[in-house]
Amino acid sequence: MNRNKQLMGAVLIVLGLMCLLSVMLPMGYGLWSDAYLLSADVERPAIDGQLSEQAQEIPIVYALYRKRILSGFDMSTATREMDTSEQANRLRELLEGLKNADVLPQGCWETANEIFRFPSAMAYNQEQDGFQQNTYLGYPEAEALGTGVEVMVQQHEQTELVTACTIAGGVQPQDDADDLLHIYRSYLGMDSLPDWKKLETQEESAAWWSEMGQIYLFCSLQEGRFFIGAFSLPKEELLAADFLPS
C-alpha cells in the first residue's frame, strides 16, 4: 500500500514538472528571441520624409526639423509679457553676437538701438519645443500705441544659435542679402550640406534651400525692414507655395 502511494506521488511530481515545463519553455524562448532581435543589427527601413543621416548630425538642422514635426514653423504658444528694459538688454546682447559674426548689418544694429531708446515699449516672450522668441515693440511717441516698430529674435536654446531675426523700423542697410545668407549659413554650421540651391526671389532678398537638410534660408532687406531666418521645409511644401516669410 505504501509502495502504491509512493508510486502515485512520483507520478504526480512528474506530471507537475511536465506542466511547469510546458509553460516555462515557450516563455523562455520568447524572452530569448526578443533579446536576440534587440541585440542584432537589423536594417531599418527609411521613413518617408526623414532627414538624411548627415543632416541629422547638424544640431540646428535636426532641431528645426523636430520643431516643424511637433508644432510647425511658427511659435504657437501664448505670449508672456516681459520687463522692457530687461528684454532690450537681452536682445541687444543677441544682436551684438550676430553683428560680430557679420550676420547683422551695421545699419540694422544702429536702428535696433534707436528702437530700444523709444519713450514707450512693450516686450514679449514665447517658448516652444526648445526654441525661445523674444520680441520688443518700440513706440516713437508714448501715446501712439498703434505705430510701433519691432525687434524680434528667435533662438535655439541648446545651441544658442539665432534662427530668425527681424528689425523693422526705417532700416536702410547697403548690404547684399545673398552675401549675408552665405555668412549666416556658416554661422549656423550648415556648410557641410552639399546640395544648396539658390532660389528666385524679389529684389533685395535671397533664398537658399537644401533638400538633404530640408532647410530653407531667407534674407530680406526690403521696405525698411531686415529679416533673416532658417526654416525646416520639405520639398513638397517648397513646391506647393511661394514660401517667403512676411
Side-chain angles (χ1 to χ4, degrees), residues 70-196:
L70 292 176
S71 56
F73 303 109
D74 300 325
M75 301 290 285
S76 56
T77 56
T79 57
R80 181 166 58 98
E81 192 166 350
M82 305 289 291
D83 179 81
T84 55
S85 58
E86 291 182 5
Q87 185 77 303
N89 290 334
R90 170 62 175 161
L91 287 170
R92 190 179 289 109
E93 179 182 345
L94 293 172
L95 293 176
E96 186 173 15
L98 288 179
K99 180 175 70 72
N100 292 338
D102 294 326
V103 175
L104 184 73
Q106 180 66 29
C108 296
W109 165 254
E110 294 172 357
T111 298
N113 280 285
E114 290 178 7
I115 294 173
F116 295 144
R117 290 192 290 266
F118 284 170
S120 182
M122 298 182 71
Y124 302 96
N125 168 271
Q126 290 173 279
E127 296 180 8
Q128 188 173 27
D129 301 328
F131 289 83
Q132 185 173 146
Q133 184 164 298
N134 292 290
T135 303
Y136 186 99
L137 299 176
Y139 302 94
E141 299 179 11
E143 64 276 7
L145 296 182
T147 58
V149 289
E150 177 187 19
V151 177
M152 182 279 292
V153 175
Q154 183 185 106
Q155 183 184 37
H156 180 229
E157 294 176 350
Q158 184 176 359
T159 62
E160 298 186 347
L161 293 172
V162 172
T163 52
C165 176
T166 295
I167 299 175
V171 172
Q172 295 182 342
Q174 304 300 316
D175 301 73
D176 182 77
D178 197 57
D179 290 343
L180 288 174
L181 269 192
H182 276 86
I183 298 171
Y184 185 54
R185 190 175 73 189
S186 298
Y187 162 83
L188 293 173
M190 297 182 183
D191 282 340
S192 60
L193 294 173
D195 63 337
W196 287 104

Side-chain angles (χ1 to χ4, degrees), residues 2 4 37 40 46 49 108 114 133 157 202 239:
N2 290 334
N4 289 337
L37 289 174
C108 296
E114 290 178 7
Q133 184 164 298
E157 294 176 350
Q202 300 174 358
L239 297 175

